[in-house]
Amino acid sequence: MTDAEWAEVRTSLPVPGWLEGRGGRPEGSCRRQMVDAVRYLVAGGITWRAMPADFPAWDRVYAFWRRWRDKGWVRELHDRLRDRLRTVAGRDPEPTAGIIDAQSVKGAASVPVATRRYDGGKKANGRKRHIVVDTLGLLLAVTVTAASVTDRDAGRDLLARLGERHWRIMRVWADGGYTGQLVDFAHRVLRIALTVVKRSDDVSGFTVLPKRWLTCAFHLPRRPDLDPKSESAF
């Protein structure tokens, strides 16, 4: 991160207990280096043991990430940054609408057979990621399943989690893979209007659909001291 990016991220980080007099040992490594190391690993898809020597030792970085994951601090940091980006864009921090979608990806040879299956529609043997984003393309909820799990089955659980974390969500746009009982379930149980945007039968090939192709767009005003793409990567 640049100094300007770190200045933005630093104010969103959870405060350690020892700084607030709650006890515990002071952290032995620079937080900025730790965050940069985790982001480097995620961006490059490397293993923990392949961490370059420029960063702290891989086992210390892993311990840092595992502690933050178990305490929910990674999610908290992400949500704080998302709320700030929405504010920069002139939106209310809490969204009222979103877009749900899924994508199947082929699994590498190292992916256990027990957690991957074949998606006949996309002809991919691997896993499927199901996400909900706001109308700016910022992540609200995500889950990963085997590629054989249908959009409707995974969407039921994902929308329920979305409603628990974002109580103001009233409408979610989806494609034709989410038709059927999921629409009724979302309206009757979750009080969410699931609107399916279908493509026209007389159109062939790729077509941009209204409200459907905003996923992960990050169309935000640029500020020299706040880069949405770099901060959201964490």
Side-chain angles (χ1 to χ4, degrees), residues 1-229:
M1 289 177 288
T2 65
D3 291 343
E5 289 172 340
W6 171 243
E8 294 284 350
V9 173
R10 182 180 182 180
T11 58
S12 299
L13 294 176
V15 179
W18 63 273
L19 280 179
E20 294 186 336
R22 300 196 306 268
R25 294 175 56 188
E27 295 179 344
S29 301
C30 172
R31 277 192 168 190
R32 179 174 178 175
Q33 286 186 325
M34 289 296 190
V35 174
D36 276 340
V38 174
R39 294 182 66 205
Y40 183 92
L41 179 138
V42 173
I46 65 174
T47 63
W48 289 103
R49 293 180 182 272
M51 186 72 65
D54 306 67
F55 297 111
W58 73 266
D59 53 344
R60 294 169 61 189
V61 178
Y62 175 72
F64 169 86
W65 171 81
R66 184 178 61 184
R67 182 172 69 254
W68 277 48
R69 178 201 61 186
D70 294 345
K71 292 182 178 295
W73 291 346
V74 174
R75 177 184 299 176
E76 182 178 345
L77 173 60
H78 171 272
D79 291 350
R80 289 180 180 180
L81 292 176
R82 183 195 60 235
D83 294 348
R84 296 181 68 174
L85 288 174
R86 286 183 57 85
T87 302
V88 169
R91 306 296 183 90
D92 190 285
E94 191 61 40
T96 59
I99 303 100
I100 186 172
D101 204 354
Q103 181 184 28
S104 295
V105 293
K106 293 182 179 180
S110 58
V111 177
V113 177
T115 61
R116 65 174 177 176
R117 292 290 186 274
Y118 185 74
D119 181 353
K122 299 299 176 62
K123 295 181 174 55
N125 186 353
R127 291 173 174 170
K128 183 183 290 187
R129 48 191 175 215
H130 310 263
I131 66 173
V132 181
V133 299
D134 64 8
T135 55
L136 296 176
L138 302 175
L139 187 64
L140 299 178
V142 59
T143 187
V144 178
T145 67
S148 59
V149 177
T150 65
D151 294 351
R152 289 186 295 272
D153 291 341
R156 187 183 182 99
D157 176 65
L158 188 59
L159 289 177
R161 291 172 50 200
L162 176 70
E164 293 176 355
R165 296 181 57 185
H166 302 280
W167 58 274
R168 291 188 60 192
I169 290 288
M170 297 182 294
R171 180 178 297 276
V172 174
W173 288 280
D175 62 17
Y178 295 89
T179 56
Q181 296 181 352
L182 181 60
V183 176
D184 179 66
F185 169 79
H187 174 73
R188 177 173 46 85
V189 178
L190 305 177
R191 299 295 186 267
I192 294 177
L194 182 61
T195 303
V196 177
V197 182
K198 296 184 177 180
R199 57 181 293 157
S200 176
D201 294 334
D202 57 356
V203 176
S204 61
F206 175 80
T207 304
V208 177
L209 302 177
K211 299 295 185 182
R212 281 279 298 107
W213 290 96
L214 294 170
T215 309
C216 296
F218 299 110
H219 293 319
L220 297 178
R222 294 298 301 273
R223 284 172 47 188
D225 61 335
L226 184 61
D227 187 344
K229 290 186 179 180

